[in-house]
Amino acid sequence: MSTQKIAIVTGAARGIGSAIAKRLASDGLAVAVLDLTEDSCADTVSAITEAGGKAIAVGADVSDEASVTAAIEKVVEELGPPTVVVNNAGIIRDNMLFKMTVDDWDAVMGVHLRGAFNVTKAAQKHMVDAGWGRIVNLSSTSALGNRGQANYSAAKAGMQGFTKTLAIELGKFGVTANAIAPGFIETEMTHATAERMGVPFEDFKRASAAQIPVNRIGVPEDIAHTASFFISEGAGFVSGQVIYVAGGPKD
Ligand code: NAP
């Protein structure tokens, strides 16, 4: 029987999720690259397979329970039981509170919180059966509060509470759960933020970098590196933690 571990990375068609999927594949895991449509996962999957790794594309909406159940079944069938989950899928619907709609609120809660709940719940039995597992949830520095992001900051703070409870409930089965809270990372999401603010992206980057102690903005690989650490065998005594990967201290 193969001893290769199987990971699911959500929102892995692009951005941070894609970088995490590629990193886990180069660490030796087989990776289910999950995003809204199977087609959108093609670039990440081919980058992994061309580098000699193993990956499949899985189309699913994490906010939809039935879609997630079907996705996990596909992973079990095509790769085997998943024991690593990275809850990365995310959206923003930014607006000042007085202009934010209930739909903006529900959409963000649906993808980040219900999505992470759905995927983790469906995968945890495979981790418990294996007596080993790793869960990594994407939070954000916005969890500490950010203008225009009442919905997103609440969801990202929620991811931290969710992570700590998973760590407490699943620890005795050999499962760790940790969260990564990125600062400014260059992806389509931060391009969209600059656009909403009406600032050219290069100016937005320069202004942000000037506020960051290491004097640069982050890249998806910075987050992938931290995910790789949490998932590694040697990190088995690290659980229920939140690491801010933001080029400087946050609290
Ligand atoms: P991104 O480039 O927008 O990528 C997010 C991915 O998630 C997209 O491929 C998106 O698919 C997918 N997705 C959205 N809704 C989904 C759903 N319901 N089911 C499955 N997949 C879905 O974002 P990113 O910047 O890489 O962010 C990744 C994670 O890091 C998010 O949780 C984000 O909140 C967090 N984060 C990012 C930053 C940053 O500075 N970039 C900072 C802190 C935290 P579509 O393209 O089809 O919508």
Side-chain angles (χ1 to χ4, degrees):
M1 211 179 89
S2 162
T3 55
Q4 188 174 34
K5 293 196 160 78
I6 294 139
I8 298 175
V9 184
T10 72
R14 62 170 202 236
I16 293 170
S18 179
I20 293 173
K22 290 175 202 161
R23 174 60 190 259
L24 297 190
S26 75
D27 288 346
L29 287 87
V31 183
V33 175
L34 186 151
D35 212 293
L36 278 167
T37 65
E38 207 171 300
D39 286 354
S40 67
C41 301
D43 287 351
T44 305
V45 169
S46 57
I48 290 172
T49 50
E50 278 161 26
K54 190 167 177 183
I56 60 164
V58 182
D61 177 351
V62 294
S63 68
D64 181 80
E65 190 181 19
S67 173
V68 169
T69 305
I72 303 287
E73 276 167 14
K74 179 180 155 105
V75 175
V76 172
E77 235 164 68
E78 294 185 21
L79 290 176
T83 54
V84 174
V85 164
V86 182
N87 287 305
N88 166 84
I91 58 168
I92 47 173
R93 294 286 184 276
D94 295 353
N95 225 327
M96 296 299 283
L97 180 67
F98 75 103
K99 287 196 253 177
M100 190 174 282
T101 65
V102 169
D103 283 350
D104 293 333
W105 178 269
D106 287 346
V108 167
M109 294 301 156
V111 178
H112 295 273
L113 286 178
R114 183 147 34 90
F117 166 74
N118 283 340
V119 176
T120 308
K121 190 176 173 199
Q124 61 86 31
K125 61 178 173 294
H126 300 294
M127 303 186 197
V128 170
D129 285 351
W132 188 95
R134 297 282 188 263
I135 300 163
V136 177
N137 295 321
L138 269 290
S139 179
S140 167
T141 50
S142 294
L144 303 168
N146 198 24
R147 191 179 177 81
Q149 292 196 316
N151 49 1
Y152 184 81
S153 62
K156 290 311 201 184
M159 290 297 263
Q160 298 191 9
F162 178 60
T163 301
K164 289 174 197 214
T165 298
L166 295 175
I168 291 166
E169 289 190 13
L170 298 173
K172 67 176 173 206
F173 303 107
V175 179
T176 67
N178 292 285
I180 302 173
F184 186 121
I185 309 296
E186 179 165 4
T187 67
E188 283 188 34
M189 189 178 272
T190 38
H191 273 91
T193 305
E195 210 174 293
R196 175 179 59 86
M197 295 167 79
V199 183
F201 193 63
E202 286 311 309
D203 296 349
F204 190 51
K205 269 173 40 175
R206 212 172 305 113
S208 301
Q211 305 295 319
I212 297 172
V214 302
N215 204 31
R216 69 168 174 90
I217 62 157
V219 291
E221 291 70 23
D222 290 318
I223 307 307
H225 191 78
T226 311
S228 171
F229 162 70
F230 277 141
I231 288 160
S232 66
E233 203 56 53
F237 205 52
V238 181
S239 197
Q241 300 304 302
V242 180
I243 293 194
Y244 283 88
V245 183
K250 298 278 171 188
D251 53 32

